[in-house]
Amino acid sequence: MTATLVTLGAVAGSTLALPAIAQTSDFSDVGANYWARPFIENLAEENIIAGFPDGTFRPDQPVTRAQFAAIVRNAFEQPLDRTPPRFSDVPSSYWASAAIDDAYSQGFLSGYPNGAFQPETQIPRVQVLVALANGLDYSASGSVNEVLNTYRDAGQIPEYGRGPVAAATQNRLVVNYPNVDVLGPQRTATRADVAAFIYQALVAQERQPALAAGLSASNYIVNYNTGTGTGTGTGTGTGNGTSTSSPRLVPNGTQLDVRYPNADVDIVVAPGQSVATNLEIAQPIRNSQNQVLIPAGSSVQGRIVPVEIRGADVTAAKFVADTLTVNGRTYNINAESSAIAATTSVNNTTLQGALITGAAESILASITGNRNLGGVIGAVINGENQPTSNNAVVVIRPSDLDLTLRSDFTVDAIANN
């Protein structure tokens, strides 16, 4: 494809700011560990996107509707099937006027009922995915609701976007960082987001290769490891994907045995409270070749959070892991334990050496009748939020947690031990 370089989102005044230097994929602000580097790098090498004259890409900068129109015009070769209207807020002299007309004609974007296009409005992630699904003529197969259940925040997807987002999901266009099961549909799309979505759309059209399984970025592609896509649109939307597991892949469903560092103690919180805490891996995680991917002692950073058990008059909590540090490298992970119900069955013996919040200490004094727990417990720790119960506590022994990965992730290297 012969394409005009588009500086993704770089607009000054009424003109598109093109690079003043030769295009390069080595951007100073897109480091080796930046989550979207492979998407950005590959598109830049294909001259589909470009950086700024100072050598940066500014991946976290938001994208407007006009900028997105310019990007899709540069990236895709869809037929011009619709005659564009004269948008009231897009004069012919506007820098992106031709790109907006083409994006409309190709079916990627539409205007608003009042005749406006709102070119300077920042575009939400859901609109980017709807635009790509519509422009590439993808439609969902099967149950839309079932597909969207992939996302914890599916309820935030507007009605007009449900079908197209489901189709985008089935065709592996969706890339969610840092949590693969959190779509963030109303969050403003960044330059990195758009680069990831565009690259995946080109993969679906078989115009770019799927990312290798060993790349960390592949962990954020929804349905990456589910085999051939199921999209039914007339675009070439099957995508190649891959079913080959990297030896560095830690798969969804892996249970992480954890413990509290240096001691096997209970953590006691009041129902409704959240507590940030660090645990550590108790047993190494190995691959099928018995190589260590996550050594024992690796640090797990996360939170004890309240859990609502619907239909039951029970309060509970669970541990949610946010990051994992392995040999100095920190990974975003998606892992959580089962819910642990609050209890009144505690005594001085079970509390020996425990870490408890101040609110839990007050409840425990009432439960045990011991107003002087200082000589029993290990330490008082900070807890956030107000308790929702004054007659029970949640007792968590980290070594008993069934902390389980909810999505795949890949370590950068096999551990040395």
Side-chain angles (χ1 to χ4, degrees):
M1 178 182 68
T2 302
T4 303
L5 286 180
V6 173
T7 299
L8 204 167
V11 179
S14 61
T15 60
L16 179 65
L18 294 174
I21 56 174
Q23 178 56 21
T24 174
S25 60
D26 188 16
F27 301 111
S28 61
D29 56 349
V30 180
N33 293 326
Y34 186 74
W35 73 269
R37 179 183 175 94
F39 306 111
I40 296 168
E41 194 172 63
N42 289 335
L43 292 184
E45 288 176 353
E46 293 295 321
N47 291 336
I48 293 172
I49 59 174
F52 291 81
D54 62 359
T56 63
F57 184 77
R58 304 175 196 174
D60 298 321
Q61 184 171 300
V63 175
T64 67
R65 284 169 52 81
Q67 293 160 2
F68 180 69
I71 296 161
V72 296
R73 182 197 197 198
N74 192 57
F76 301 106
E77 301 170 341
Q78 304 305 108
L80 304 175
D81 290 334
R82 300 190 298 178
T83 301
R86 302 187 69 176
F87 294 112
S88 60
D89 53 354
V90 183
S92 58
S93 59
Y94 184 70
W95 71 269
S97 174
I100 291 170
D101 284 351
D102 284 356
Y104 178 91
S105 297
Q106 291 175 317
F108 287 105
L109 293 168
S110 295
Y112 290 87
N114 64 356
F117 183 80
Q118 299 184 15
E120 300 300 319
T121 298
Q122 294 176 356
I123 189 167
R125 284 165 52 89
V126 66
Q127 286 190 18
V128 173
L129 292 171
V130 169
L132 292 175
N134 288 342
L136 299 177
D137 201 17
Y138 294 150
S139 58
S141 63
S143 168
V144 167
N145 289 339
E146 184 175 336
V147 175
L148 296 183
N149 282 340
T150 300
Y151 307 113
R152 284 189 279 170
D153 54 352
Q156 298 177 21
I157 302 172
E159 189 61 34
Y160 73 82
R162 294 181 65 81
V165 170
T169 301
Q170 291 178 320
N171 285 281
R172 294 191 196 85
L173 271 59
V174 185
V175 184
N176 294 332
Y177 175 86
N179 296 312
V180 73
D181 62 348
V182 177
L183 181 65
Q186 303 297 348
R187 194 170 72 239
T188 298
T190 65
R191 289 160 54 80
D193 288 332
V194 171
F197 294 156
I198 294 290
Y199 184 83
Q200 286 301 112
L202 294 173
V203 171
Q205 289 189 312
E206 299 184 348
R207 292 173 50 205
Q208 288 292 319
L211 292 190
L215 292 174
S216 295
S218 65
N219 297 325
Y220 309 117
I221 301 171
V222 179
N223 289 339
Y224 177 78
N225 289 309
T226 57
T228 303
T230 56
T232 59
T234 56
T236 308
T238 56
N240 289 330
T242 179
S243 59
T244 302
S245 294
S246 163
R248 292 180 282 115
L249 178 73
V250 185
N252 176 21
T254 299
Q255 183 164 323
L256 306 177
D257 291 330
V258 293
R259 65 193 174 204
Y260 193 80
N262 303 317
D264 190 19
V265 298
D266 291 335
I267 302 173
V268 185
V269 304
Q273 285 193 299
S274 296
V275 177
T277 189
N278 291 345
L279 305 178
E280 67 179 20
I281 298 296
Q283 298 293 330
I285 303 299
R286 301 175 182 271
N287 62 14
S288 59
Q289 289 80 45
N290 204 36
Q291 297 170 309
V292 175
L293 303 181
I294 306 176
S298 299
S299 179
V300 180
Q301 300 81 39
R303 299 156 288 132
I304 296 169
V305 298
V307 175
E308 176 187 355
I309 302 179
R310 294 182 179 179
D313 187 20
V314 177
T315 54
K318 65 182 177 181
F319 180 76
V320 176
D322 298 314
T323 59
L324 170 70
T325 301
V326 179
N327 293 332
R329 170 76 165 89
T330 298
Y331 302 88
N332 292 291
I333 63 172
N334 175 20
E336 60 184 48
S337 73
S338 298
I340 299 168
T343 181
T344 59
S345 299
V346 291
N347 54 49
N348 289 351
T349 300
T350 59
L351 293 175
Q352 191 69 43
L355 307 177
I356 70 176
T357 65
E361 184 177 22
S362 297
I363 298 171
L364 286 168
S366 175
I367 293 174
T368 64
N370 186 350
R371 301 290 175 180
N372 185 21
L373 292 170
V376 178
I377 65 173
V380 177
I381 57 178
N382 293 327
E384 300 177 357
N385 306 325
Q386 293 299 314
T388 57
S389 173
N390 293 315
N391 57 14
V393 291
V394 179
V395 181
I396 295 175
R397 173 148 294 201
S399 59
D400 291 341
L401 291 173
D402 57 347
L403 184 62
T404 304
L405 286 174
R406 304 302 183 192
S407 59
D408 299 343
F409 84 98
T410 303
V411 296
D412 288 344
I414 302 297
N416 293 325
N417 56 331

